[in-house]
Amino acid sequence: MLEPVVTVAKALEDYRPIVGDEPIQELRALAEPLRGARVLNINATPFGGGVAEMLSALVPLMNDVGLAAEWRVITGSVEFFSVTKAMHNSLQGMAIDWTADMERTWLIYNDINAELFAESYDFVIVHDPQPAGLLEGVLRRNGHRPAGTWLWRCHLDTSNARPEVWDFILPFVRLYQGAIFTRKEYVNGDLSGGPPVFTILPAIDPLSSKNRKVSPDIVKGVLLQCGIDPTRPIVCQVSRFDPWKDPLGVIDVYREVKEEVPELQLVIAGVMANDDPEGWEYCQRTLHYAGEDEDIHVLSNLSEIAVGAFEVGALQQAASVVIQKSIREGFGLTVAEAMWKGTPVVGGNCGGIRLQIRDGDTGFLVSSPEDCAARIITLLQNPDLAKRMGRAGRESVRRKFLIPRLLRDHLSLYASLVAEKADFGASVPAHDKERLTLAIS
Ligand code: UDP
């Protein structure tokens, strides 16, 4: 059996005071015809990164409204996760050396996980490229299509994907009965001959320990524990140690701002997910780049003072400005998390961040380090503007990016698929059959 992830129970009713009556009633009505539907989510890691973050709220809420939802993770070696991280990078547009050995590693582990797949479900949602080959493995083992509707949920912006990896996984993706992307624009090409594409925007859980408001005393306690001075301004970026999140660029920006605001402190908090071996190396590089500057605090779940979800939330709340200086970003949960706390955000003008921040109104979008530094200085020197932006940001997250809306989008999609009794992926195009046979043999 694939490893199950245990989640903490959640109740939809608890969200009523935050989102209002109407969305809750709508959700209950949507869930009714889906009562008892068995839904399985499969991804690569139980913690670290946005997918795990969302599933830990979405799965218990699905159960609360009457579905039978589960979350399971695949198994893999360090070698496999190095390969999948390279795939991730390539699908986001980075040139990598993609070899036959890497393909083999990916196929072997997808096969191992296919063997661990048991039970039958009404809906199986497979997240991201790591387990994308699972359906093919199950199909080959069973000799027929497994029960239920299988959907591939891609959280990446693949619009600039390199052809070597994209062409390799495409035949596996085409077997699914639907593909879910964050935006239509993130699909590389049109998946022609493949499954229909649906779009769902991510969301955050306002009631998680990370996103609940905490008292100023507790925030102060967390800062002191992390060696941060609560009386001086803080800029903070929370994200995995990953080149796309540009932690080194964040340090450059901080150095530029510090010339103008000498009392400034920088916090870079980055979790080490277990499907991201590259993170270790990148964390070391970040530490090295930070050098001896005592006002730069590089924290992780594995540092001396371990920062978990609660501490991350407190840091986002305490920051004068949160940065998300990503170069590519399907959707920045961290952006929504900071905005929800009323903290002004300066985000890289890319991908999903563009949907999240209305430039100059709910935050600032920036395209260069100089621009980023200038916006941070503006916010640090204009507390009224910072407050106004923070308030506008929080309201926009309340309307668009909270978990009940994500639940609604999932339920609507499932209901529409049930209504259509869709059998989109039943026949495999001949050229894919050929490519799959070649890949697997
Ligand atoms: N995160 C965290 N601790 C860290 C770094 C990240 O809890 O040290 C969380 C962060 O709060 C967010 C998620 O991991 O909920 C990252 O999601 P995002 O969409 O921003 O980026 P991804 O990692 O999925 O590319």
Short mmCIF file of all heavy atoms in Angstrom, two decimals, residues 47-54 88 92 128 155-156 202-204 210-211 237-242 244-245 268-273 276 299-301 307-313 315-316 324 326 328-337 341 356, ligand 1:
data_model
loop_
_atom_site.label_atom_id
_atom_site.label_comp_id
_atom_site.label_asym_id
_atom_site.label_seq_id
_atom_site.Cartn_x
_atom_site.Cartn_y
_atom_site.Cartn_z
N PHE A 47 5.17 16.80 3.77
CA PHE A 47 5.38 18.16 4.28
C PHE A 47 6.42 18.87 3.41
O PHE A 47 7.18 18.22 2.67
CB PHE A 47 5.87 18.15 5.73
CG PHE A 47 7.25 17.57 5.88
CD1 PHE A 47 8.37 18.38 5.79
CD2 PHE A 47 7.43 16.21 6.08
CE1 PHE A 47 9.64 17.84 5.89
CE2 PHE A 47 8.71 15.66 6.18
CZ PHE A 47 9.81 16.48 6.09
N GLY A 48 6.42 20.20 3.49
CA GLY A 48 7.39 20.98 2.72
C GLY A 48 6.83 21.28 1.34
O GLY A 48 6.56 20.37 0.56
N GLY A 49 6.60 22.55 1.08
CA GLY A 49 6.08 22.92 -0.23
C GLY A 49 4.57 23.05 -0.23
O GLY A 49 3.88 22.57 0.69
N GLY A 50 4.08 23.71 -1.28
CA GLY A 50 2.69 24.11 -1.32
C GLY A 50 1.69 22.97 -1.45
O GLY A 50 0.58 23.06 -0.93
N VAL A 51 2.07 21.89 -2.13
CA VAL A 51 1.10 20.81 -2.37
C VAL A 51 0.72 20.17 -1.03
O VAL A 51 -0.47 19.99 -0.71
CB VAL A 51 1.68 19.76 -3.34
CG1 VAL A 51 0.68 18.64 -3.56
CG2 VAL A 51 2.05 20.40 -4.67
N ALA A 52 1.73 19.83 -0.25
CA ALA A 52 1.48 19.22 1.06
C ALA A 52 0.65 20.17 1.93
O ALA A 52 -0.27 19.76 2.64
CB ALA A 52 2.80 18.89 1.74
N GLU A 53 0.98 21.42 1.82
CA GLU A 53 0.28 22.44 2.62
C GLU A 53 -1.23 22.42 2.29
O GLU A 53 -2.08 22.41 3.20
CB GLU A 53 0.89 23.79 2.23
CG GLU A 53 0.52 24.94 3.08
CD GLU A 53 1.17 24.92 4.44
OE1 GLU A 53 2.22 24.29 4.63
OE2 GLU A 53 0.59 25.55 5.34
N MET A 54 -1.55 22.37 1.00
CA MET A 54 -2.96 22.41 0.62
C MET A 54 -3.67 21.12 0.95
O MET A 54 -4.81 21.12 1.43
CB MET A 54 -3.09 22.69 -0.88
CG MET A 54 -2.98 24.16 -1.17
SD MET A 54 -3.27 24.51 -2.89
CE MET A 54 -1.74 24.03 -3.63
N HIS A 88 11.54 18.68 -12.43
CA HIS A 88 10.85 19.89 -11.98
C HIS A 88 11.53 21.12 -12.59
O HIS A 88 10.89 21.99 -13.17
CB HIS A 88 10.91 19.88 -10.44
CG HIS A 88 10.41 21.12 -9.76
ND1 HIS A 88 9.28 21.13 -9.00
CD2 HIS A 88 10.92 22.36 -9.70
CE1 HIS A 88 9.10 22.35 -8.52
NE2 HIS A 88 10.08 23.11 -8.92
N GLN A 92 10.21 23.68 -15.62
CA GLN A 92 10.07 25.13 -15.42
C GLN A 92 11.01 25.91 -16.33
O GLN A 92 11.14 27.12 -16.19
CB GLN A 92 10.30 25.49 -13.95
CG GLN A 92 9.24 24.89 -13.05
CD GLN A 92 9.02 25.70 -11.78
OE1 GLN A 92 7.93 26.21 -11.56
NE2 GLN A 92 10.04 25.82 -10.96
N ASP A 128 1.72 16.51 -9.66
CA ASP A 128 3.06 16.86 -10.15
C ASP A 128 3.80 15.71 -10.85
O ASP A 128 3.29 14.60 -10.94
CB ASP A 128 3.88 17.49 -9.01
CG ASP A 128 3.47 18.96 -8.79
OD1 ASP A 128 2.90 19.55 -9.73
OD2 ASP A 128 3.73 19.51 -7.71
N HIS A 155 1.15 21.45 -10.66
CA HIS A 155 1.23 22.74 -9.96
C HIS A 155 2.30 23.65 -10.57
O HIS A 155 2.51 24.75 -10.08
CB HIS A 155 1.55 22.51 -8.48
CG HIS A 155 0.47 21.76 -7.75
ND1 HIS A 155 -0.56 22.38 -7.10
CD2 HIS A 155 0.24 20.42 -7.61
CE1 HIS A 155 -1.37 21.48 -6.56
NE2 HIS A 155 -0.90 20.27 -6.87
N LEU A 156 2.99 23.15 -11.60
CA LEU A 156 4.09 23.93 -12.18
C LEU A 156 3.62 24.75 -13.36
O LEU A 156 2.63 24.42 -14.00
CB LEU A 156 5.19 22.98 -12.66
CG LEU A 156 5.75 22.00 -11.65
CD1 LEU A 156 6.76 21.09 -12.31
CD2 LEU A 156 6.39 22.76 -10.49
N PRO A 202 -4.76 27.70 -6.48
CA PRO A 202 -4.50 27.22 -5.12
C PRO A 202 -5.12 28.14 -4.05
O PRO A 202 -5.69 29.20 -4.36
CB PRO A 202 -2.99 27.21 -5.02
CG PRO A 202 -2.52 27.15 -6.44
CD PRO A 202 -3.53 27.96 -7.20
N ALA A 203 -4.99 27.73 -2.81
CA ALA A 203 -5.56 28.52 -1.70
C ALA A 203 -4.86 28.16 -0.39
O ALA A 203 -4.17 27.15 -0.31
CB ALA A 203 -7.05 28.21 -1.59
N ILE A 204 -5.05 29.00 0.60
CA ILE A 204 -4.44 28.74 1.92
C ILE A 204 -5.55 28.47 2.96
O ILE A 204 -6.70 28.86 2.76
CB ILE A 204 -3.57 29.91 2.39
CG1 ILE A 204 -4.40 31.21 2.54
CG2 ILE A 204 -2.41 30.14 1.45
CD1 ILE A 204 -3.73 32.27 3.39
N LYS A 210 -0.28 27.90 11.00
CA LYS A 210 0.56 28.90 10.34
C LYS A 210 -0.20 30.21 10.08
O LYS A 210 0.38 31.28 10.12
CB LYS A 210 1.05 28.34 9.01
CG LYS A 210 1.92 29.29 8.24
CD LYS A 210 2.37 28.70 6.94
CE LYS A 210 3.28 27.50 7.19
NZ LYS A 210 3.56 26.77 5.96
N ASN A 211 -1.49 30.08 9.81
CA ASN A 211 -2.22 31.26 9.33
C ASN A 211 -3.14 31.92 10.35
O ASN A 211 -3.73 32.96 10.06
CB ASN A 211 -3.00 30.89 8.06
CG ASN A 211 -2.05 30.60 6.91
OD1 ASN A 211 -1.00 31.23 6.81
ND2 ASN A 211 -2.39 29.64 6.09
N GLN A 237 11.70 36.33 3.65
CA GLN A 237 11.20 35.46 2.57
C GLN A 237 11.11 34.05 3.11
O GLN A 237 12.04 33.53 3.71
CB GLN A 237 12.11 35.49 1.33
CG GLN A 237 11.67 34.44 0.30
CD GLN A 237 12.16 34.69 -1.13
OE1 GLN A 237 11.85 35.71 -1.73
NE2 GLN A 237 12.92 33.73 -1.67
N VAL A 238 9.96 33.44 2.90
CA VAL A 238 9.74 32.05 3.33
C VAL A 238 9.64 31.20 2.07
O VAL A 238 8.73 31.41 1.27
CB VAL A 238 8.40 31.94 4.11
CG1 VAL A 238 8.07 30.49 4.40
CG2 VAL A 238 8.45 32.75 5.40
N SER A 239 10.56 30.28 1.89
CA SER A 239 10.40 29.34 0.76
C SER A 239 11.48 28.27 0.78
O SER A 239 12.48 28.41 1.47
CB SER A 239 10.41 30.04 -0.60
OG SER A 239 11.35 31.05 -0.65
N ARG A 240 11.22 27.21 0.01
CA ARG A 240 12.22 26.16 -0.10
C ARG A 240 13.52 26.74 -0.62
O ARG A 240 13.51 27.76 -1.31
CB ARG A 240 11.71 25.07 -1.07
CG ARG A 240 10.60 24.23 -0.51
CD ARG A 240 10.10 23.20 -1.51
NE ARG A 240 9.49 23.80 -2.68
CZ ARG A 240 10.06 23.87 -3.88
NH1 ARG A 240 11.25 23.36 -4.09
NH2 ARG A 240 9.43 24.44 -4.89
N PHE A 241 14.65 26.08 -0.30
CA PHE A 241 15.94 26.54 -0.84
C PHE A 241 16.03 26.04 -2.27
O PHE A 241 16.35 24.87 -2.50
CB PHE A 241 17.10 26.05 0.03
CG PHE A 241 17.13 26.74 1.36
CD1 PHE A 241 16.66 26.10 2.50
CD2 PHE A 241 17.62 28.03 1.46
CE1 PHE A 241 16.66 26.75 3.72
CE2 PHE A 241 17.63 28.69 2.68
CZ PHE A 241 17.15 28.05 3.81
N ASP A 242 15.75 26.92 -3.19
CA ASP A 242 15.52 26.51 -4.57
C ASP A 242 15.91 27.69 -5.45
O ASP A 242 15.59 28.84 -5.14
CB ASP A 242 14.01 26.22 -4.66
CG ASP A 242 13.53 25.82 -6.02
OD1 ASP A 242 13.86 26.50 -7.01
OD2 ASP A 242 12.79 24.84 -6.10
N TRP A 244 14.76 28.81 -8.11
CA TRP A 244 13.62 29.58 -8.63
C TRP A 244 13.10 30.59 -7.61
O TRP A 244 12.39 31.52 -7.95
CB TRP A 244 12.47 28.65 -9.02
CG TRP A 244 12.90 27.63 -10.01
CD1 TRP A 244 13.15 26.31 -9.76
CD2 TRP A 244 13.19 27.84 -11.40
NE1 TRP A 244 13.56 25.68 -10.90
CE2 TRP A 244 13.59 26.59 -11.92
CE3 TRP A 244 13.14 28.95 -12.24
CZ2 TRP A 244 13.94 26.43 -13.26
CZ3 TRP A 244 13.48 28.79 -13.57
CH2 TRP A 244 13.88 27.55 -14.07
N LYS A 245 13.44 30.37 -6.32
CA LYS A 245 12.98 31.29 -5.27
C LYS A 245 14.02 32.39 -5.04
O LYS A 245 13.80 33.29 -4.25
CB LYS A 245 12.72 30.54 -3.96
CG LYS A 245 11.89 29.26 -4.11
CD LYS A 245 10.43 29.55 -4.25
CE LYS A 245 9.63 28.25 -4.28
NZ LYS A 245 8.21 28.47 -4.51
N ILE A 268 15.46 34.58 6.18
CA ILE A 268 15.14 33.64 5.10
C ILE A 268 14.78 32.33 5.78
O ILE A 268 15.62 31.71 6.43
CB ILE A 268 16.33 33.44 4.14
CG1 ILE A 268 16.70 34.76 3.47
CG2 ILE A 268 16.00 32.38 3.10
CD1 ILE A 268 17.81 34.65 2.44
N ALA A 269 13.52 31.94 5.67
CA ALA A 269 13.10 30.69 6.29
C ALA A 269 12.80 29.70 5.18
O ALA A 269 12.02 29.97 4.28
CB ALA A 269 11.86 30.91 7.15
N GLY A 270 13.46 28.56 5.23
CA GLY A 270 13.27 27.58 4.15
C GLY A 270 13.18 26.17 4.68
O GLY A 270 14.08 25.70 5.37
N VAL A 271 12.10 25.54 4.37
CA VAL A 271 11.89 24.17 4.85
C VAL A 271 12.64 23.19 3.94
O VAL A 271 12.86 23.47 2.76
CB VAL A 271 10.38 23.85 4.88
CG1 VAL A 271 9.85 23.53 3.51
CG2 VAL A 271 10.06 22.75 5.86
N MET A 272 13.06 22.07 4.53
CA MET A 272 13.70 21.01 3.73
C MET A 272 12.70 19.91 3.48
O MET A 272 12.45 19.09 4.36
CB MET A 272 14.89 20.40 4.49
CG MET A 272 15.94 21.38 4.83
SD MET A 272 16.79 21.88 3.34
CE MET A 272 17.93 23.02 4.06
N ALA A 273 12.11 19.91 2.31
CA ALA A 273 11.15 18.84 1.99
C ALA A 273 11.95 17.59 1.63
O ALA A 273 13.05 17.69 1.09
CB ALA A 273 10.28 19.27 0.83
N ASP A 276 13.28 16.92 -2.05
CA ASP A 276 14.04 18.02 -2.63
C ASP A 276 15.51 17.98 -2.17
O ASP A 276 15.96 18.83 -1.41
CB ASP A 276 13.38 19.35 -2.20
CG ASP A 276 14.01 20.54 -2.88
OD1 ASP A 276 14.85 20.35 -3.79
OD2 ASP A 276 13.65 21.67 -2.51
N LEU A 299 16.99 30.41 8.46
CA LEU A 299 16.37 29.44 9.36
C LEU A 299 15.74 28.31 8.55
O LEU A 299 15.28 28.52 7.43
CB LEU A 299 15.26 30.11 10.18
CG LEU A 299 15.65 31.39 10.93
CD1 LEU A 299 14.40 32.08 11.47
CD2 LEU A 299 16.61 31.07 12.07
N SER A 300 15.70 27.13 9.15
CA SER A 300 14.97 26.04 8.48
C SER A 300 14.40 25.11 9.53
O SER A 300 14.67 25.27 10.72
CB SER A 300 15.89 25.27 7.53
OG SER A 300 16.58 24.28 8.23
N ASN A 301 13.64 24.12 9.07
CA ASN A 301 13.09 23.15 10.02
C ASN A 301 14.20 22.30 10.62
O ASN A 301 14.00 21.59 11.59
CB ASN A 301 12.03 22.27 9.34
CG ASN A 301 12.52 21.66 8.04
OD1 ASN A 301 13.37 22.22 7.36
ND2 ASN A 301 11.98 20.52 7.70
N VAL A 307 12.42 25.97 12.72
CA VAL A 307 11.19 26.72 12.47
C VAL A 307 10.17 25.83 11.77
O VAL A 307 10.39 25.38 10.66
CB VAL A 307 11.41 28.03 11.67
CG1 VAL A 307 12.06 29.10 12.51
CG2 VAL A 307 12.22 27.79 10.42
N GLY A 308 9.09 25.57 12.46
CA GLY A 308 7.99 24.79 11.91
C GLY A 308 6.91 25.74 11.43
O GLY A 308 7.11 26.97 11.36
N ALA A 309 5.74 25.18 11.15
CA ALA A 309 4.64 25.96 10.58
C ALA A 309 4.27 27.16 11.47
O ALA A 309 4.09 28.27 10.99
CB ALA A 309 3.43 25.06 10.37
N PHE A 310 4.20 26.93 12.76
CA PHE A 310 3.78 27.99 13.67
C PHE A 310 4.76 29.18 13.63
O PHE A 310 4.37 30.35 13.54
CB PHE A 310 3.66 27.44 15.10
CG PHE A 310 3.27 28.47 16.09
CD1 PHE A 310 1.96 28.92 16.15
CD2 PHE A 310 4.22 29.04 16.93
CE1 PHE A 310 1.60 29.91 17.05
CE2 PHE A 310 3.86 30.03 17.84
CZ PHE A 310 2.55 30.46 17.90
N GLU A 311 6.05 28.84 13.69
CA GLU A 311 7.08 29.89 13.68
C GLU A 311 7.06 30.65 12.35
O GLU A 311 7.22 31.88 12.32
CB GLU A 311 8.48 29.30 13.92
CG GLU A 311 8.73 28.80 15.33
CD GLU A 311 8.10 27.45 15.62
OE1 GLU A 311 7.63 26.79 14.67
OE2 GLU A 311 8.06 27.05 16.80
N VAL A 312 6.87 29.90 11.25
CA VAL A 312 6.81 30.55 9.93
C VAL A 312 5.68 31.57 9.92
O VAL A 312 5.84 32.72 9.48
CB VAL A 312 6.62 29.50 8.81
CG1 VAL A 312 6.19 30.16 7.50
CG2 VAL A 312 7.92 28.73 8.59
N GLY A 313 4.54 31.18 10.46
CA GLY A 313 3.39 32.09 10.52
C GLY A 313 3.72 33.34 11.33
O GLY A 313 3.40 34.46 10.93
N LEU A 315 6.64 34.62 11.87
CA LEU A 315 7.61 35.45 11.14
C LEU A 315 6.90 36.26 10.05
O LEU A 315 7.19 37.44 9.85
CB LEU A 315 8.69 34.56 10.50
CG LEU A 315 9.66 33.89 11.48
CD1 LEU A 315 10.48 32.81 10.78
CD2 LEU A 315 10.59 34.92 12.12
N GLN A 316 5.95 35.62 9.35
CA GLN A 316 5.21 36.35 8.31
C GLN A 316 4.40 37.49 8.93
O GLN A 316 4.26 38.56 8.34
CB GLN A 316 4.26 35.39 7.56
CG GLN A 316 5.00 34.39 6.67
CD GLN A 316 4.10 33.28 6.18
OE1 GLN A 316 3.19 32.84 6.88
NE2 GLN A 316 4.37 32.78 4.97
N GLN A 324 8.74 37.86 -1.97
CA GLN A 324 8.75 36.57 -2.65
C GLN A 324 9.38 36.83 -4.00
O GLN A 324 8.71 37.11 -4.99
CB GLN A 324 7.33 35.98 -2.77
CG GLN A 324 7.33 34.54 -3.26
CD GLN A 324 8.14 33.60 -2.36
OE1 GLN A 324 7.91 33.55 -1.15
NE2 GLN A 324 9.10 32.89 -2.92
N SER A 326 10.57 35.34 -6.39
CA SER A 326 10.68 34.18 -7.29
C SER A 326 10.94 34.61 -8.73
O SER A 326 10.51 35.68 -9.17
CB SER A 326 9.39 33.38 -7.27
OG SER A 326 9.09 33.00 -5.97
N ARG A 328 10.36 32.07 -11.17
CA ARG A 328 9.21 31.40 -11.74
C ARG A 328 8.38 30.86 -10.58
O ARG A 328 8.93 30.36 -9.61
CB ARG A 328 9.66 30.23 -12.63
CG ARG A 328 8.70 30.01 -13.78
CD ARG A 328 9.14 28.99 -14.79
NE ARG A 328 10.23 29.39 -15.67
CZ ARG A 328 10.19 30.35 -16.59
NH1 ARG A 328 9.09 31.04 -16.77
NH2 ARG A 328 11.22 30.62 -17.34
N GLU A 329 7.07 30.99 -10.67
CA GLU A 329 6.23 30.59 -9.54
C GLU A 329 4.84 30.27 -10.07
O GLU A 329 4.15 31.16 -10.58
CB GLU A 329 6.17 31.76 -8.53
CG GLU A 329 5.51 31.45 -7.22
CD GLU A 329 6.37 30.56 -6.33
OE1 GLU A 329 7.38 31.03 -5.79
OE2 GLU A 329 6.00 29.38 -6.19
N GLY A 330 4.45 28.99 -9.98
CA GLY A 330 3.10 28.61 -10.41
C GLY A 330 2.06 29.43 -9.65
O GLY A 330 1.13 30.01 -10.21
N PHE A 331 2.25 29.47 -8.35
CA PHE A 331 1.39 30.25 -7.45
C PHE A 331 2.14 30.29 -6.13
O PHE A 331 2.61 29.25 -5.66
CB PHE A 331 0.04 29.53 -7.26
CG PHE A 331 -0.96 30.32 -6.46
CD1 PHE A 331 -1.88 31.14 -7.10
CD2 PHE A 331 -0.98 30.26 -5.07
CE1 PHE A 331 -2.81 31.88 -6.37
CE2 PHE A 331 -1.90 30.99 -4.33
CZ PHE A 331 -2.83 31.80 -4.99
N GLY A 332 2.27 31.45 -5.52
CA GLY A 332 3.02 31.52 -4.27
C GLY A 332 2.09 31.44 -3.07
O GLY A 332 1.47 32.44 -2.69
N LEU A 333 2.01 30.26 -2.47
CA LEU A 333 1.19 30.19 -1.24
C LEU A 333 1.73 31.17 -0.21
O LEU A 333 0.97 31.78 0.55
CB LEU A 333 1.23 28.78 -0.66
CG LEU A 333 0.39 27.71 -1.33
CD1 LEU A 333 0.39 26.45 -0.49
CD2 LEU A 333 -1.04 28.17 -1.55
N THR A 334 3.06 31.30 -0.18
CA THR A 334 3.66 32.19 0.82
C THR A 334 3.19 33.63 0.63
O THR A 334 3.06 34.37 1.60
CB THR A 334 5.19 32.16 0.70
OG1 THR A 334 5.53 32.37 -0.66
CG2 THR A 334 5.76 30.84 1.15
N VAL A 335 2.93 34.00 -0.61
CA VAL A 335 2.43 35.36 -0.89
C VAL A 335 1.05 35.52 -0.24
O VAL A 335 0.78 36.50 0.47
CB VAL A 335 2.36 35.60 -2.42
CG1 VAL A 335 1.63 36.90 -2.74
CG2 VAL A 335 3.76 35.59 -3.02
N ALA A 336 0.19 34.52 -0.49
CA ALA A 336 -1.16 34.59 0.08
C ALA A 336 -1.11 34.55 1.62
O ALA A 336 -1.87 35.26 2.29
CB ALA A 336 -2.01 33.42 -0.45
N GLU A 337 -0.21 33.74 2.16
CA GLU A 337 -0.10 33.62 3.63
C GLU A 337 0.26 34.97 4.25
O GLU A 337 -0.33 35.39 5.27
CB GLU A 337 0.96 32.58 3.99
CG GLU A 337 0.53 31.15 3.69
CD GLU A 337 1.69 30.16 3.65
OE1 GLU A 337 2.86 30.56 3.85
OE2 GLU A 337 1.43 28.97 3.38
N LYS A 341 -2.10 37.87 6.53
CA LYS A 341 -1.72 38.40 7.84
C LYS A 341 -1.65 39.92 7.82
O LYS A 341 -1.23 40.54 8.80
CB LYS A 341 -0.39 37.79 8.28
CG LYS A 341 -0.59 36.31 8.61
CD LYS A 341 0.69 35.55 8.67
CE LYS A 341 0.37 34.08 8.83
NZ LYS A 341 0.73 33.25 7.71
N GLN A 356 -1.95 37.22 -7.93
CA GLN A 356 -2.16 37.39 -6.49
C GLN A 356 -2.03 38.83 -6.03
O GLN A 356 -2.69 39.24 -5.08
CB GLN A 356 -1.15 36.51 -5.72
CG GLN A 356 -1.30 35.04 -6.02
CD GLN A 356 -0.25 34.23 -5.28
OE1 GLN A 356 0.74 33.80 -5.86
NE2 GLN A 356 -0.45 34.04 -4.00
N1 UDP B 1 7.00 26.68 4.03
C1 UDP B 1 7.15 26.42 5.36
N2 UDP B 1 8.36 26.57 5.94
C2 UDP B 1 9.42 27.00 5.26
C3 UDP B 1 9.28 27.25 3.86
C4 UDP B 1 8.04 27.08 3.28
O1 UDP B 1 6.22 26.04 6.05
O2 UDP B 1 10.49 27.13 5.84
C5 UDP B 1 5.68 26.56 3.44
C6 UDP B 1 5.11 27.91 3.07
O3 UDP B 1 4.61 28.57 4.22
C7 UDP B 1 4.07 27.53 2.05
C8 UDP B 1 4.69 26.35 1.35
O4 UDP B 1 5.69 25.83 2.23
O5 UDP B 1 2.88 27.12 2.68
C9 UDP B 1 5.35 26.76 0.05
O6 UDP B 1 4.38 26.91 -0.94
P1 UDP B 1 4.63 27.84 -2.19
O7 UDP B 1 3.43 27.74 -3.06
O8 UDP B 1 4.97 29.23 -1.75
O9 UDP B 1 5.91 27.24 -2.91
P2 UDP B 1 6.32 25.76 -3.37
O10 UDP B 1 7.26 25.27 -2.32
O11 UDP B 1 5.09 24.95 -3.49
O12 UDP B 1 7.03 25.99 -4.68
#
